C-alpha cells in the first residue's frame, strides 16, 4: 500500500516462450484425471483402457511449465477430427494456434528467469535488442478472450470477465494480490478500476483496485 492508500492488484509479467516440440506428435499431449477399466485382449492378457469422455487432455509443455509454478497460456484453435482411425465419429479437438510458442508469466517484480530457462522444454524467449519482450496484460486479456478455448487455468479465469458484477455499496472480496481474501466495500466503479474501502487494523482505507480482482465471497 502506498502513502496515498492505493492498493494495486497483483500484476503479471508475460513473455512469449518458445518450447521444444517432441519428435513424436503423440507425446505432445496427455490425459489427466481419467477413469480406466480393466479388460482382456485377444490373447487373454489383462489390460486397462481409458473410459470414453473421461479426463482432460492437456499439452505436455503447458502442463510442465504450470507445475513449475508459472502462469501459462497456450492459445488454441479447434477443428473437427475423427475420434480415432477406427471410428467415423468426429469430435472437436484443440490444437496450438502457434505451434512451438506459449505465453508464460509470473508476478511483476519477481525474477524467475533462471527457473524458466532450467526447464528442458524451453528453447528460447521472444525479445528485441537482446532483451525479452514483455507483453502487457491488456494484450494478454484480448488473446485469452479470443483464443482461450475454454482451457484457462482457474487462476486466469478473471481475465475472461467482460464487465463487473457489482455496484457501489456492495461488499466484495479481493481475489488476488497482497490483500487477497479481505472484504472491500465498493465506493465507485470506473471501468477497469474500482475504488473501495478496506478495513486495515480497524481503519477504513481508500484503495483503488483492478475491477477484475473483486469477486463475491
Amino acid at each position: 500500500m502506498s502513502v496515498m492508500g492505493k492498493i494495486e492488484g497483483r500484476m503479471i509479467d508475460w513473455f512469449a516462450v518458445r518450447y521444444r516440440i517432441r519428435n513424436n506428435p503423440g507425446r505432445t499431449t496427455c490425459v489427466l484425471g481419467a477413469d480406466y477399466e480393466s479388460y482382456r485382449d485377444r490373447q487373454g492378457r489383462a489390460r486397462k483402457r481409458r473410459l470414453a469422455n473421461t479426463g482432460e487432455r492437456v499439452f505436455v509443455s503447458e502442463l510442465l511449465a504450470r507445475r513449475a509454478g508459472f502462469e501459462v497460456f497456450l492459445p488454441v484453435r479447434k477443428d473437427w477430427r475423427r475420434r480415432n482411425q477406427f471410428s467415423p465419429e468426429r469430435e472437436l479437438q484443440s490444437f496450438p494456434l502457434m505451434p512451438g510458442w506459449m505465453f508464460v508469466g509470473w508476478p511483476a517484480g519477481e525474477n524467475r528467469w533462471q527457473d524458466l530457462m532450467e526447464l528442458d522444454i524451453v528453447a528460447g524467449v521472444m525479445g528485441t535488442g537482446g532483451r525479452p519482450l514483455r507483453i502487457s496484460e491488456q494484450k494478454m486479456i484480448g488473446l485469452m478472450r479470443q483464443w482461450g478455448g475454454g482451457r484457462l487455468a482457474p487462476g486466469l479465469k478473471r481475465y475472461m470477465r467482460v464487465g463487473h458484477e457489482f455496484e457501489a455499496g456492495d461488499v466484495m472480496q479481493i481475489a488476488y494480490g497482497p490483500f487477497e481474501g479481505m472484504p472491500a466495500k465498493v465506493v465507485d466503479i470506473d471501468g477497469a478500476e474500482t475504488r473501495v474501502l478496506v478495513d486495515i487494523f480497524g481503519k477504513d482505507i481508500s484503495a483503488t483496485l483492478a475491477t477484475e480482482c473483486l469477486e463475491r465471497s
Side-chain angles (χ1 to χ4, degrees):
M1 182 178 64
S2 70
V3 294
M4 298 301 293
K6 182 175 182 179
I7 301 174
E8 299 288 348
R10 183 184 66 174
M11 301 295 288
I12 301 294
D13 284 340
W14 288 98
F15 302 90
V17 174
R18 187 170 185 81
Y19 61 87
R20 294 185 173 90
I21 300 178
R22 296 173 180 267
N23 294 329
N24 182 352
R27 298 258 181 119
T28 60
T29 64
C30 63
V31 176
L32 299 180
D35 295 325
Y36 292 84
E37 65 177 356
S38 299
Y39 74 101
R40 291 190 176 276
D41 62 16
R42 294 179 179 179
Q43 285 72 43
R45 293 171 297 190
R47 301 286 190 182
K48 283 190 175 182
R49 60 190 169 198
R50 181 169 65 93
L51 294 176
N53 302 318
T54 65
E56 177 188 8
R57 185 166 293 279
V58 299
F59 293 98
V60 173
S61 55
E62 180 184 22
L63 175 65
L64 293 178
R66 189 167 288 143
R67 283 182 172 176
F70 294 100
E71 299 279 14
V72 185
F73 171 57
L74 196 156
V76 298
R77 59 179 173 81
K78 291 197 171 184
D79 292 338
W80 286 99
R81 297 292 176 87
R82 291 178 58 177
R83 187 181 298 273
N84 57 58
Q85 60 180 332
F86 306 108
S87 171
E89 293 185 32
R90 297 166 67 87
E91 63 181 3
L92 205 55
Q93 298 181 13
S94 296
F95 299 89
L97 181 67
M98 304 178 296
W101 291 91
M102 62 182 174
F103 297 96
V104 176
W106 54 80
E110 293 187 7
N111 185 344
R112 298 211 56 197
W113 287 110
Q114 182 174 349
D115 297 335
L116 178 67
M117 301 312 293
E118 285 179 351
L119 294 178
D120 61 5
I121 59 169
V122 174
V125 180
M126 181 181 293
T128 178
R131 301 185 64 179
L133 180 64
R134 181 182 177 277
I135 303 169
S136 71
E137 281 207 315
Q138 287 303 312
K139 288 184 179 179
M140 291 301 304
I141 289 172
L143 289 170
M144 290 179 186
R145 287 177 178 169
Q146 185 174 4
W147 302 106
R151 300 176 55 262
L152 293 184
L156 300 180
K157 294 292 187 183
R158 65 182 186 273
Y159 287 136
M160 303 305 290
R161 297 176 186 168
V162 295
H164 59 78
E165 303 169 350
F166 49 85
E167 57 187 18
D170 288 350
V171 177
M172 306 298 291
Q173 182 171 289
I174 301 174
Y176 61 91
F179 295 92
E180 179 179 344
M182 294 183 64
K185 184 176 181 179
V186 177
V187 176
D188 181 60
I189 306 167
D190 183 14
E193 292 188 332
T194 296
R195 189 160 59 88
V196 299
L197 292 177
V198 183
D199 186 338
I200 306 293
F201 300 121
K203 181 178 180 181
D204 285 339
I205 301 297
S206 178
T208 300
L209 301 173
T211 300
E212 65 191 20
C213 84
L214 295 174
E215 63 182 13
R216 294 195 179 278
S217 58

